Amino acid sequence: MISAISGILKNINRHNKILDIILWHTHESFATNLCKTDHNFYAMTSPERKMWDFSYRKMPDNYKHTTDINTIGIIPDLVISQSVGQMGAAANIAQKINIHLIHIEHTTPDGTSMMNHLDKIRQQNTADKTVFITEYNRDIWGYKDDSNAVVINHGIDTDLFSGYVGDRDYILAIVNDYRNREGPLHFSLFESLLKELPTVKFRLRGNSNENLIGLYPNLEIVKSTCVEDLIEDLRHCRCFVNTSRFSPVPMSLLESMSVGCPIVSTNNCGIVDFLTKTNGAWCKTKEDFCNWISSMMIDREISLNI
């Protein structure tokens, strides 16, 4: 059994060695970037928790699944929580073995209920540092003047995500389980685009979208396979479309920007801080989406110029 004193001793003797870090899995792309720090990551898993999706990214050698930190044969140096729901479990581990806790917040408050309890959520946050991916999501959570809050923007491998061509006549969306994620991702808006633009071909890349197969003649469903296939789509599609409501900035939007693929997106949350007329268009209405998509399909030069 790992004890508090073992954590103290390891912290004293660390001397800039590679760290052993406990966390809970969220996004494959973000986890892959974390692993480029060369530290070792142990993701807590169970049947009800999200597991690594091998169709989207190869799991790095320094990233492992575990169901019990007492069986992994190491004394952790650090624990990371990556959502409000993980705070309690992460705090328990940090307190039990006397190690530091970092909370990384990728999201924005989801709905009115959570917005009404922000003070309580902040009081429950016992992290030594709280990290946000944008100034927007730091401020909306209420940490603008908190000295323990820092902003570290998402990073993208710009050598890998590059080379836009835009020579194929389809619009790309990248979402898992789109139909069942109306709240944060506004599937009904995407559905209305399919209906309003019946002659425009849409390609939906992601997993758990089988419930949409055959419903719309202009929609092609493509499963996530590997990052190379994702980049191939981003390089060749006419534009990338994003309908999200709550994300501070979707990782797929940043990947599209890195490739040079033009973006047609909602103007919600922190997206307006990243998306400008030089890399895409943000839209207030369904009509805005339709106008931009139609223009790019008619004239490829519009996509190339953006």
Side-chain angles (χ1 to χ4, degrees), residues 19-24 41-42 44 69 76-82 86-104 126-129:
L19 302 181
D20 295 313
I21 301 170
I22 298 294
L23 77 172
W24 286 259
F41 295 88
Y42 298 86
M44 299 294 292
I69 63 171
D77 298 284
L78 176 69
V79 60
I80 295 176
S81 65
Q82 299 186 78
Q86 296 172 6
M87 279 185 182
N92 288 339
I93 293 174
Q95 184 178 20
K96 185 176 181 180
I97 56 178
N98 199 24
I99 58 176
H100 289 296
L101 165 61
I102 293 177
H103 177 65
I104 302 176
T126 60
D128 298 282
K129 285 289 182 183

PDB file of all heavy atoms in Angstrom, residues 19-24 41-42 44 69 76-82 86-104 126-129:
ATOM      1  N   LEU A  19       8.998  12.100 -14.119  1.00  0.00           N
ATOM      2  CA  LEU A  19       7.928  11.996 -13.133  1.00  0.00           C
ATOM      3  C   LEU A  19       6.953  10.870 -13.480  1.00  0.00           C
ATOM      4  O   LEU A  19       6.734  10.566 -14.658  1.00  0.00           O
ATOM      5  CB  LEU A  19       7.158  13.308 -13.040  1.00  0.00           C
ATOM      6  CG  LEU A  19       7.959  14.564 -12.676  1.00  0.00           C
ATOM      7  CD1 LEU A  19       7.029  15.765 -12.614  1.00  0.00           C
ATOM      8  CD2 LEU A  19       8.690  14.385 -11.353  1.00  0.00           C
ATOM      9  N   ASP A  20       6.385  10.280 -12.463  1.00  0.00           N
ATOM     10  CA  ASP A  20       5.310   9.307 -12.612  1.00  0.00           C
ATOM     11  C   ASP A  20       4.007   9.994 -12.211  1.00  0.00           C
ATOM     12  O   ASP A  20       3.853  10.436 -11.070  1.00  0.00           O
ATOM     13  CB  ASP A  20       5.560   8.081 -11.731  1.00  0.00           C
ATOM     14  CG  ASP A  20       6.792   7.305 -12.173  1.00  0.00           C
ATOM     15  OD1 ASP A  20       6.914   7.064 -13.389  1.00  0.00           O
ATOM     16  OD2 ASP A  20       7.623   6.950 -11.313  1.00  0.00           O
ATOM     17  N   ILE A  21       3.079  10.090 -13.158  1.00  0.00           N
ATOM     18  CA  ILE A  21       1.901  10.948 -13.003  1.00  0.00           C
ATOM     19  C   ILE A  21       0.623  10.143 -13.155  1.00  0.00           C
ATOM     20  O   ILE A  21       0.458   9.393 -14.127  1.00  0.00           O
ATOM     21  CB  ILE A  21       1.941  12.090 -14.043  1.00  0.00           C
ATOM     22  CG1 ILE A  21       3.218  12.919 -13.851  1.00  0.00           C
ATOM     23  CG2 ILE A  21       0.697  12.973 -13.934  1.00  0.00           C
ATOM     24  CD1 ILE A  21       3.479  13.921 -14.960  1.00  0.00           C
ATOM     25  N   ILE A  22      -0.278  10.303 -12.203  1.00  0.00           N
ATOM     26  CA  ILE A  22      -1.598   9.675 -12.250  1.00  0.00           C
ATOM     27  C   ILE A  22      -2.596  10.663 -12.854  1.00  0.00           C
ATOM     28  O   ILE A  22      -2.593  11.857 -12.529  1.00  0.00           O
ATOM     29  CB  ILE A  22      -2.071   9.282 -10.836  1.00  0.00           C
ATOM     30  CG1 ILE A  22      -1.116   8.258 -10.210  1.00  0.00           C
ATOM     31  CG2 ILE A  22      -3.504   8.734 -10.873  1.00  0.00           C
ATOM     32  CD1 ILE A  22      -1.099   6.924 -10.891  1.00  0.00           C
ATOM     33  N   LEU A  23      -3.472  10.182 -13.741  1.00  0.00           N
ATOM     34  CA  LEU A  23      -4.520  11.022 -14.326  1.00  0.00           C
ATOM     35  C   LEU A  23      -5.674  10.146 -14.785  1.00  0.00           C
ATOM     36  O   LEU A  23      -5.631   8.925 -14.653  1.00  0.00           O
ATOM     37  CB  LEU A  23      -3.972  11.879 -15.462  1.00  0.00           C
ATOM     38  CG  LEU A  23      -3.713  11.238 -16.843  1.00  0.00           C
ATOM     39  CD1 LEU A  23      -3.356  12.313 -17.863  1.00  0.00           C
ATOM     40  CD2 LEU A  23      -2.628  10.195 -16.806  1.00  0.00           C
ATOM     41  N   TRP A  24      -6.689  10.759 -15.330  1.00  0.00           N
ATOM     42  CA  TRP A  24      -7.830  10.055 -15.922  1.00  0.00           C
ATOM     43  C   TRP A  24      -7.866  10.422 -17.395  1.00  0.00           C
ATOM     44  O   TRP A  24      -7.661  11.575 -17.771  1.00  0.00           O
ATOM     45  CB  TRP A  24      -9.140  10.459 -15.236  1.00  0.00           C
ATOM     46  CG  TRP A  24      -9.295   9.867 -13.877  1.00  0.00           C
ATOM     47  CD1 TRP A  24     -10.037   8.785 -13.513  1.00  0.00           C
ATOM     48  CD2 TRP A  24      -8.679  10.339 -12.668  1.00  0.00           C
ATOM     49  NE1 TRP A  24      -9.930   8.550 -12.175  1.00  0.00           N
ATOM     50  CE2 TRP A  24      -9.095   9.492 -11.626  1.00  0.00           C
ATOM     51  CE3 TRP A  24      -7.820  11.404 -12.359  1.00  0.00           C
ATOM     52  CZ2 TRP A  24      -8.685   9.662 -10.307  1.00  0.00           C
ATOM     53  CZ3 TRP A  24      -7.400  11.571 -11.058  1.00  0.00           C
ATOM     54  CH2 TRP A  24      -7.839  10.710 -10.042  1.00  0.00           C
ATOM     55  N   PHE A  41       2.866   8.465 -17.640  1.00  0.00           N
ATOM     56  CA  PHE A  41       1.476   8.746 -17.291  1.00  0.00           C
ATOM     57  C   PHE A  41       0.716   7.438 -17.084  1.00  0.00           C
ATOM     58  O   PHE A  41       0.811   6.516 -17.893  1.00  0.00           O
ATOM     59  CB  PHE A  41       0.807   9.585 -18.384  1.00  0.00           C
ATOM     60  CG  PHE A  41       1.419  10.951 -18.527  1.00  0.00           C
ATOM     61  CD1 PHE A  41       2.502  11.164 -19.372  1.00  0.00           C
ATOM     62  CD2 PHE A  41       0.914  12.025 -17.799  1.00  0.00           C
ATOM     63  CE1 PHE A  41       3.077  12.424 -19.486  1.00  0.00           C
ATOM     64  CE2 PHE A  41       1.475  13.278 -17.909  1.00  0.00           C
ATOM     65  CZ  PHE A  41       2.564  13.482 -18.751  1.00  0.00           C
ATOM     66  N   TYR A  42      -0.049   7.382 -15.994  1.00  0.00           N
ATOM     67  CA  TYR A  42      -0.843   6.214 -15.652  1.00  0.00           C
ATOM     68  C   TYR A  42      -2.305   6.651 -15.560  1.00  0.00           C
ATOM     69  O   TYR A  42      -2.683   7.406 -14.664  1.00  0.00           O
ATOM     70  CB  TYR A  42      -0.371   5.618 -14.323  1.00  0.00           C
ATOM     71  CG  TYR A  42       1.064   5.147 -14.365  1.00  0.00           C
ATOM     72  CD1 TYR A  42       2.114   6.029 -14.113  1.00  0.00           C
ATOM     73  CD2 TYR A  42       1.371   3.826 -14.683  1.00  0.00           C
ATOM     74  CE1 TYR A  42       3.435   5.601 -14.166  1.00  0.00           C
ATOM     75  CE2 TYR A  42       2.692   3.393 -14.740  1.00  0.00           C
ATOM     76  CZ  TYR A  42       3.720   4.294 -14.478  1.00  0.00           C
ATOM     77  OH  TYR A  42       5.031   3.862 -14.543  1.00  0.00           O
ATOM     78  N   MET A  44      -6.115   6.207 -14.875  1.00  0.00           N
ATOM     79  CA  MET A  44      -7.041   5.396 -14.095  1.00  0.00           C
ATOM     80  C   MET A  44      -8.232   5.002 -14.975  1.00  0.00           C
ATOM     81  O   MET A  44      -8.838   5.858 -15.634  1.00  0.00           O
ATOM     82  CB  MET A  44      -7.531   6.166 -12.882  1.00  0.00           C
ATOM     83  CG  MET A  44      -6.425   6.584 -11.924  1.00  0.00           C
ATOM     84  SD  MET A  44      -5.623   5.174 -11.130  1.00  0.00           S
ATOM     85  CE  MET A  44      -6.977   4.591 -10.094  1.00  0.00           C
ATOM     86  N   ILE A  69      -3.765   2.279  -8.367  1.00  0.00           N
ATOM     87  CA  ILE A  69      -2.407   2.829  -8.278  1.00  0.00           C
ATOM     88  C   ILE A  69      -1.520   2.004  -7.362  1.00  0.00           C
ATOM     89  O   ILE A  69      -0.289   2.131  -7.416  1.00  0.00           O
ATOM     90  CB  ILE A  69      -2.415   4.303  -7.804  1.00  0.00           C
ATOM     91  CG1 ILE A  69      -2.980   4.413  -6.383  1.00  0.00           C
ATOM     92  CG2 ILE A  69      -3.186   5.176  -8.766  1.00  0.00           C
ATOM     93  CD1 ILE A  69      -2.801   5.809  -5.792  1.00  0.00           C
ATOM     94  N   PRO A  76       3.691   7.567  -7.176  1.00  0.00           N
ATOM     95  CA  PRO A  76       3.421   8.721  -8.042  1.00  0.00           C
ATOM     96  C   PRO A  76       4.039  10.009  -7.492  1.00  0.00           C
ATOM     97  O   PRO A  76       4.154  10.198  -6.277  1.00  0.00           O
ATOM     98  CB  PRO A  76       1.897   8.813  -8.055  1.00  0.00           C
ATOM     99  CG  PRO A  76       1.422   7.477  -7.596  1.00  0.00           C
ATOM    100  CD  PRO A  76       2.458   6.967  -6.656  1.00  0.00           C
ATOM    101  N   ASP A  77       4.444  10.880  -8.411  1.00  0.00           N
ATOM    102  CA  ASP A  77       4.944  12.208  -8.043  1.00  0.00           C
ATOM    103  C   ASP A  77       3.840  13.257  -8.084  1.00  0.00           C
ATOM    104  O   ASP A  77       3.937  14.288  -7.417  1.00  0.00           O
ATOM    105  CB  ASP A  77       6.031  12.650  -9.035  1.00  0.00           C
ATOM    106  CG  ASP A  77       7.225  11.734  -9.018  1.00  0.00           C
ATOM    107  OD1 ASP A  77       8.025  11.822  -8.081  1.00  0.00           O
ATOM    108  OD2 ASP A  77       7.354  10.925  -9.962  1.00  0.00           O
ATOM    109  N   LEU A  78       2.805  13.004  -8.900  1.00  0.00           N
ATOM    110  CA  LEU A  78       1.834  14.039  -9.205  1.00  0.00           C
ATOM    111  C   LEU A  78       0.529  13.393  -9.641  1.00  0.00           C
ATOM    112  O   LEU A  78       0.537  12.327 -10.247  1.00  0.00           O
ATOM    113  CB  LEU A  78       2.381  14.926 -10.340  1.00  0.00           C
ATOM    114  CG  LEU A  78       1.516  16.047 -10.914  1.00  0.00           C
ATOM    115  CD1 LEU A  78       1.349  17.164  -9.889  1.00  0.00           C
ATOM    116  CD2 LEU A  78       2.143  16.597 -12.186  1.00  0.00           C
ATOM    117  N   VAL A  79      -0.587  14.054  -9.345  1.00  0.00           N
ATOM    118  CA  VAL A  79      -1.881  13.591  -9.855  1.00  0.00           C
ATOM    119  C   VAL A  79      -2.528  14.744 -10.596  1.00  0.00           C
ATOM    120  O   VAL A  79      -2.430  15.904 -10.177  1.00  0.00           O
ATOM    121  CB  VAL A  79      -2.789  13.061  -8.720  1.00  0.00           C
ATOM    122  CG1 VAL A  79      -3.077  14.115  -7.677  1.00  0.00           C
ATOM    123  CG2 VAL A  79      -4.085  12.497  -9.288  1.00  0.00           C
ATOM    124  N   ILE A  80      -3.164  14.437 -11.718  1.00  0.00           N
ATOM    125  CA  ILE A  80      -3.810  15.444 -12.568  1.00  0.00           C
ATOM    126  C   ILE A  80      -5.284  15.097 -12.714  1.00  0.00           C
ATOM    127  O   ILE A  80      -5.633  13.968 -13.080  1.00  0.00           O
ATOM    128  CB  ILE A  80      -3.157  15.501 -13.967  1.00  0.00           C
ATOM    129  CG1 ILE A  80      -1.700  15.973 -13.860  1.00  0.00           C
ATOM    130  CG2 ILE A  80      -3.945  16.415 -14.896  1.00  0.00           C
ATOM    131  CD1 ILE A  80      -0.961  15.963 -15.200  1.00  0.00           C
ATOM    132  N   SER A  81      -6.151  16.059 -12.439  1.00  0.00           N
ATOM    133  CA  SER A  81      -7.575  15.911 -12.773  1.00  0.00           C
ATOM    134  C   SER A  81      -7.851  16.770 -14.005  1.00  0.00           C
ATOM    135  O   SER A  81      -7.228  17.807 -14.205  1.00  0.00           O
ATOM    136  CB  SER A  81      -8.465  16.336 -11.608  1.00  0.00           C
ATOM    137  OG  SER A  81      -8.321  17.725 -11.331  1.00  0.00           O
ATOM    138  N   GLN A  82      -8.796  16.312 -14.846  1.00  0.00           N
ATOM    139  CA  GLN A  82      -9.065  17.015 -16.102  1.00  0.00           C
ATOM    140  C   GLN A  82     -10.545  17.304 -16.301  1.00  0.00           C
ATOM    141  O   GLN A  82     -10.978  17.563 -17.424  1.00  0.00           O
ATOM    142  CB  GLN A  82      -8.520  16.202 -17.279  1.00  0.00           C
ATOM    143  CG  GLN A  82      -7.017  15.993 -17.222  1.00  0.00           C
ATOM    144  CD  GLN A  82      -6.484  15.327 -18.454  1.00  0.00           C
ATOM    145  OE1 GLN A  82      -6.320  15.945 -19.498  1.00  0.00           O
ATOM    146  NE2 GLN A  82      -6.201  14.039 -18.352  1.00  0.00           N
ATOM    147  N   GLN A  86     -13.636  14.757 -11.814  1.00  0.00           N
ATOM    148  CA  GLN A  86     -12.455  14.024 -11.361  1.00  0.00           C
ATOM    149  C   GLN A  86     -11.805  14.658 -10.132  1.00  0.00           C
ATOM    150  O   GLN A  86     -10.909  14.070  -9.519  1.00  0.00           O
ATOM    151  CB  GLN A  86     -11.421  13.947 -12.493  1.00  0.00           C
ATOM    152  CG  GLN A  86     -11.877  13.179 -13.698  1.00  0.00           C
ATOM    153  CD  GLN A  86     -10.904  13.296 -14.869  1.00  0.00           C
ATOM    154  OE1 GLN A  86      -9.820  13.869 -14.747  1.00  0.00           O
ATOM    155  NE2 GLN A  86     -11.293  12.752 -16.018  1.00  0.00           N
ATOM    156  N   MET A  87     -12.242  15.868  -9.773  1.00  0.00           N
ATOM    157  CA  MET A  87     -11.576  16.622  -8.698  1.00  0.00           C
ATOM    158  C   MET A  87     -11.513  15.849  -7.386  1.00  0.00           C
ATOM    159  O   MET A  87     -10.466  15.785  -6.736  1.00  0.00           O
ATOM    160  CB  MET A  87     -12.314  17.947  -8.454  1.00  0.00           C
ATOM    161  CG  MET A  87     -11.972  19.054  -9.412  1.00  0.00           C
ATOM    162  SD  MET A  87     -12.831  20.573  -8.894  1.00  0.00           S
ATOM    163  CE  MET A  87     -12.317  21.701 -10.190  1.00  0.00           C
ATOM    164  N   GLY A  88     -12.650  15.264  -6.974  1.00  0.00           N
ATOM    165  CA  GLY A  88     -12.708  14.595  -5.684  1.00  0.00           C
ATOM    166  C   GLY A  88     -11.758  13.419  -5.586  1.00  0.00           C
ATOM    167  O   GLY A  88     -10.994  13.296  -4.616  1.00  0.00           O
ATOM    168  N   ALA A  89     -11.785  12.542  -6.593  1.00  0.00           N
ATOM    169  CA  ALA A  89     -10.920  11.358  -6.584  1.00  0.00           C
ATOM    170  C   ALA A  89      -9.453  11.758  -6.635  1.00  0.00           C
ATOM    171  O   ALA A  89      -8.607  11.164  -5.944  1.00  0.00           O
ATOM    172  CB  ALA A  89     -11.269  10.451  -7.761  1.00  0.00           C
ATOM    173  N   ALA A  90      -9.139  12.775  -7.444  1.00  0.00           N
ATOM    174  CA  ALA A  90      -7.757  13.237  -7.550  1.00  0.00           C
ATOM    175  C   ALA A  90      -7.280  13.835  -6.231  1.00  0.00           C
ATOM    176  O   ALA A  90      -6.140  13.598  -5.796  1.00  0.00           O
ATOM    177  CB  ALA A  90      -7.633  14.263  -8.676  1.00  0.00           C
ATOM    178  N   ALA A  91      -8.129  14.621  -5.592  1.00  0.00           N
ATOM    179  CA  ALA A  91      -7.775  15.224  -4.308  1.00  0.00           C
ATOM    180  C   ALA A  91      -7.534  14.160  -3.246  1.00  0.00           C
ATOM    181  O   ALA A  91      -6.621  14.283  -2.412  1.00  0.00           O
ATOM    182  CB  ALA A  91      -8.871  16.189  -3.863  1.00  0.00           C
ATOM    183  N   ASN A  92      -8.334  13.090  -3.259  1.00  0.00           N
ATOM    184  CA  ASN A  92      -8.163  12.008  -2.298  1.00  0.00           C
ATOM    185  C   ASN A  92      -6.799  11.337  -2.454  1.00  0.00           C
ATOM    186  O   ASN A  92      -6.114  11.041  -1.466  1.00  0.00           O
ATOM    187  CB  ASN A  92      -9.270  10.972  -2.456  1.00  0.00           C
ATOM    188  CG  ASN A  92     -10.607  11.467  -1.950  1.00  0.00           C
ATOM    189  OD1 ASN A  92     -10.669  12.392  -1.140  1.00  0.00           O
ATOM    190  ND2 ASN A  92     -11.681  10.865  -2.423  1.00  0.00           N
ATOM    191  N   ILE A  93      -6.397  11.089  -3.708  1.00  0.00           N
ATOM    192  CA  ILE A  93      -5.096  10.468  -3.957  1.00  0.00           C
ATOM    193  C   ILE A  93      -3.974  11.395  -3.517  1.00  0.00           C
ATOM    194  O   ILE A  93      -3.020  10.980  -2.842  1.00  0.00           O
ATOM    195  CB  ILE A  93      -4.948  10.116  -5.448  1.00  0.00           C
ATOM    196  CG1 ILE A  93      -5.923   9.003  -5.835  1.00  0.00           C
ATOM    197  CG2 ILE A  93      -3.511   9.702  -5.774  1.00  0.00           C
ATOM    198  CD1 ILE A  93      -5.955   8.696  -7.324  1.00  0.00           C
ATOM    199  N   ALA A  94      -4.071  12.685  -3.898  1.00  0.00           N
ATOM    200  CA  ALA A  94      -3.030  13.650  -3.553  1.00  0.00           C
ATOM    201  C   ALA A  94      -2.854  13.767  -2.047  1.00  0.00           C
ATOM    202  O   ALA A  94      -1.727  13.821  -1.526  1.00  0.00           O
ATOM    203  CB  ALA A  94      -3.360  15.010  -4.161  1.00  0.00           C
ATOM    204  N   GLN A  95      -3.966  13.805  -1.321  1.00  0.00           N
ATOM    205  CA  GLN A  95      -3.912  13.947   0.130  1.00  0.00           C
ATOM    206  C   GLN A  95      -3.391  12.676   0.801  1.00  0.00           C
ATOM    207  O   GLN A  95      -2.605  12.732   1.753  1.00  0.00           O
ATOM    208  CB  GLN A  95      -5.300  14.293   0.669  1.00  0.00           C
ATOM    209  CG  GLN A  95      -5.342  14.551   2.171  1.00  0.00           C
ATOM    210  CD  GLN A  95      -6.729  14.944   2.638  1.00  0.00           C
ATOM    211  OE1 GLN A  95      -7.722  14.679   1.965  1.00  0.00           O
ATOM    212  NE2 GLN A  95      -6.802  15.576   3.791  1.00  0.00           N
ATOM    213  N   LYS A  96      -3.800  11.543   0.273  1.00  0.00           N
ATOM    214  CA  LYS A  96      -3.449  10.259   0.890  1.00  0.00           C
ATOM    215  C   LYS A  96      -1.951  10.009   0.861  1.00  0.00           C
ATOM    216  O   LYS A  96      -1.369   9.488   1.846  1.00  0.00           O
ATOM    217  CB  LYS A  96      -4.182   9.131   0.167  1.00  0.00           C
ATOM    218  CG  LYS A  96      -3.988   7.759   0.785  1.00  0.00           C
ATOM    219  CD  LYS A  96      -4.844   6.738   0.053  1.00  0.00           C
ATOM    220  CE  LYS A  96      -4.686   5.353   0.679  1.00  0.00           C
ATOM    221  NZ  LYS A  96      -5.518   4.344  -0.020  1.00  0.00           N
ATOM    222  N   ILE A  97      -1.297  10.351  -0.255  1.00  0.00           N
ATOM    223  CA  ILE A  97       0.140  10.063  -0.358  1.00  0.00           C
ATOM    224  C   ILE A  97       0.986  11.338  -0.414  1.00  0.00           C
ATOM    225  O   ILE A  97       2.166  11.297  -0.733  1.00  0.00           O
ATOM    226  CB  ILE A  97       0.440   9.151  -1.565  1.00  0.00           C
ATOM    227  CG1 ILE A  97      -0.085   9.749  -2.874  1.00  0.00           C
ATOM    228  CG2 ILE A  97      -0.131   7.775  -1.351  1.00  0.00           C
ATOM    229  CD1 ILE A  97       0.237   8.893  -4.094  1.00  0.00           C
ATOM    230  N   ASN A  98       0.340  12.479  -0.104  1.00  0.00           N
ATOM    231  CA  ASN A  98       1.048  13.744   0.053  1.00  0.00           C
ATOM    232  C   ASN A  98       1.833  14.140  -1.198  1.00  0.00           C
ATOM    233  O   ASN A  98       3.044  14.357  -1.160  1.00  0.00           O
ATOM    234  CB  ASN A  98       1.980  13.690   1.270  1.00  0.00           C
ATOM    235  CG  ASN A  98       2.369  15.078   1.740  1.00  0.00           C
ATOM    236  OD1 ASN A  98       1.661  16.043   1.492  1.00  0.00           O
ATOM    237  ND2 ASN A  98       3.502  15.181   2.404  1.00  0.00           N
ATOM    238  N   ILE A  99       1.148  14.226  -2.333  1.00  0.00           N
ATOM    239  CA  ILE A  99       1.757  14.677  -3.579  1.00  0.00           C
ATOM    240  C   ILE A  99       0.952  15.855  -4.123  1.00  0.00           C
ATOM    241  O   ILE A  99      -0.149  16.149  -3.665  1.00  0.00           O
ATOM    242  CB  ILE A  99       1.829  13.555  -4.636  1.00  0.00           C
ATOM    243  CG1 ILE A  99       0.423  13.005  -4.944  1.00  0.00           C
ATOM    244  CG2 ILE A  99       2.764  12.451  -4.172  1.00  0.00           C
ATOM    245  CD1 ILE A  99       0.407  11.948  -6.048  1.00  0.00           C
ATOM    246  N   HIS A 100       1.534  16.529  -5.090  1.00  0.00           N
ATOM    247  CA  HIS A 100       0.887  17.707  -5.661  1.00  0.00           C
ATOM    248  C   HIS A 100      -0.258  17.304  -6.595  1.00  0.00           C
ATOM    249  O   HIS A 100      -0.245  16.243  -7.220  1.00  0.00           O
ATOM    250  CB  HIS A 100       1.894  18.555  -6.427  1.00  0.00           C
ATOM    251  CG  HIS A 100       2.869  19.256  -5.539  1.00  0.00           C
ATOM    252  ND1 HIS A 100       2.494  20.207  -4.627  1.00  0.00           N
ATOM    253  CD2 HIS A 100       4.218  19.134  -5.417  1.00  0.00           C
ATOM    254  CE1 HIS A 100       3.558  20.657  -3.989  1.00  0.00           C
ATOM    255  NE2 HIS A 100       4.628  20.014  -4.451  1.00  0.00           N
ATOM    256  N   LEU A 101      -1.223  18.223  -6.704  1.00  0.00           N
ATOM    257  CA  LEU A 101      -2.386  18.034  -7.567  1.00  0.00           C
ATOM    258  C   LEU A 101      -2.493  19.210  -8.533  1.00  0.00           C
ATOM    259  O   LEU A 101      -2.440  20.374  -8.119  1.00  0.00           O
ATOM    260  CB  LEU A 101      -3.659  17.949  -6.713  1.00  0.00           C
ATOM    261  CG  LEU A 101      -5.012  18.094  -7.427  1.00  0.00           C
ATOM    262  CD1 LEU A 101      -5.214  16.988  -8.459  1.00  0.00           C
ATOM    263  CD2 LEU A 101      -6.149  18.091  -6.408  1.00  0.00           C
ATOM    264  N   ILE A 102      -2.604  18.892  -9.818  1.00  0.00           N
ATOM    265  CA  ILE A 102      -2.865  19.904 -10.851  1.00  0.00           C
ATOM    266  C   ILE A 102      -4.220  19.601 -11.476  1.00  0.00           C
ATOM    267  O   ILE A 102      -4.513  18.448 -11.818  1.00  0.00           O
ATOM    268  CB  ILE A 102      -1.772  19.896 -11.937  1.00  0.00           C
ATOM    269  CG1 ILE A 102      -0.438  20.367 -11.360  1.00  0.00           C
ATOM    270  CG2 ILE A 102      -2.176  20.782 -13.121  1.00  0.00           C
ATOM    271  CD1 ILE A 102       0.708  20.313 -12.358  1.00  0.00           C
ATOM    272  N   HIS A 103      -5.036  20.631 -11.596  1.00  0.00           N
ATOM    273  CA  HIS A 103      -6.317  20.478 -12.293  1.00  0.00           C
ATOM    274  C   HIS A 103      -6.213  21.169 -13.644  1.00  0.00           C
ATOM    275  O   HIS A 103      -5.915  22.364 -13.720  1.00  0.00           O
ATOM    276  CB  HIS A 103      -7.460  21.085 -11.486  1.00  0.00           C
ATOM    277  CG  HIS A 103      -8.783  21.007 -12.185  1.00  0.00           C
ATOM    278  ND1 HIS A 103      -9.397  19.799 -12.467  1.00  0.00           N
ATOM    279  CD2 HIS A 103      -9.596  21.977 -12.694  1.00  0.00           C
ATOM    280  CE1 HIS A 103     -10.531  20.030 -13.103  1.00  0.00           C
ATOM    281  NE2 HIS A 103     -10.676  21.328 -13.261  1.00  0.00           N
ATOM    282  N   ILE A 104      -6.447  20.419 -14.729  1.00  0.00           N
ATOM    283  CA  ILE A 104      -6.439  20.972 -16.084  1.00  0.00           C
ATOM    284  C   ILE A 104      -7.884  21.040 -16.561  1.00  0.00           C
ATOM    285  O   ILE A 104      -8.556  20.017 -16.655  1.00  0.00           O
ATOM    286  CB  ILE A 104      -5.602  20.112 -17.051  1.00  0.00           C
ATOM    287  CG1 ILE A 104      -4.151  19.985 -16.549  1.00  0.00           C
ATOM    288  CG2 ILE A 104      -5.612  20.718 -18.454  1.00  0.00           C
ATOM    289  CD1 ILE A 104      -3.285  19.078 -17.402  1.00  0.00           C
ATOM    290  N   THR A 126      -9.071  21.851  -4.737  1.00  0.00           N
ATOM    291  CA  THR A 126      -7.933  21.930  -3.821  1.00  0.00           C
ATOM    292  C   THR A 126      -6.598  21.803  -4.549  1.00  0.00           C
ATOM    293  O   THR A 126      -5.559  21.566  -3.921  1.00  0.00           O
ATOM    294  CB  THR A 126      -8.032  20.818  -2.762  1.00  0.00           C
ATOM    295  OG1 THR A 126      -8.038  19.539  -3.418  1.00  0.00           O
ATOM    296  CG2 THR A 126      -9.307  20.971  -1.936  1.00  0.00           C
ATOM    297  N   ALA A 127      -6.605  21.982  -5.872  1.00  0.00           N
ATOM    298  CA  ALA A 127      -5.389  21.810  -6.665  1.00  0.00           C
ATOM    299  C   ALA A 127      -4.344  22.868  -6.324  1.00  0.00           C
ATOM    300  O   ALA A 127      -4.668  24.013  -5.991  1.00  0.00           O
ATOM    301  CB  ALA A 127      -5.727  21.876  -8.156  1.00  0.00           C
ATOM    302  N   ASP A 128      -3.062  22.473  -6.415  1.00  0.00           N
ATOM    303  CA  ASP A 128      -1.968  23.429  -6.229  1.00  0.00           C
ATOM    304  C   ASP A 128      -1.934  24.430  -7.377  1.00  0.00           C
ATOM    305  O   ASP A 128      -1.597  25.595  -7.174  1.00  0.00           O
ATOM    306  CB  ASP A 128      -0.634  22.679  -6.155  1.00  0.00           C
ATOM    307  CG  ASP A 128      -0.590  21.723  -4.972  1.00  0.00           C
ATOM    308  OD1 ASP A 128      -0.382  22.198  -3.846  1.00  0.00           O
ATOM    309  OD2 ASP A 128      -0.780  20.510  -5.188  1.00  0.00           O
ATOM    310  N   LYS A 129      -2.263  23.980  -8.571  1.00  0.00           N
ATOM    311  CA  LYS A 129      -2.385  24.846  -9.739  1.00  0.00           C
ATOM    312  C   LYS A 129      -3.581  24.392 -10.563  1.00  0.00           C
ATOM    313  O   LYS A 129      -3.832  23.186 -10.690  1.00  0.00           O
ATOM    314  CB  LYS A 129      -1.135  24.788 -10.629  1.00  0.00           C
ATOM    315  CG  LYS A 129       0.069  25.534 -10.088  1.00  0.00           C
ATOM    316  CD  LYS A 129      -0.136  27.048 -10.154  1.00  0.00           C
ATOM    317  CE  LYS A 129       1.101  27.786  -9.658  1.00  0.00           C
ATOM    318  NZ  LYS A 129       0.886  29.257  -9.654  1.00  0.00           N
TER     319      LYS A 129
END
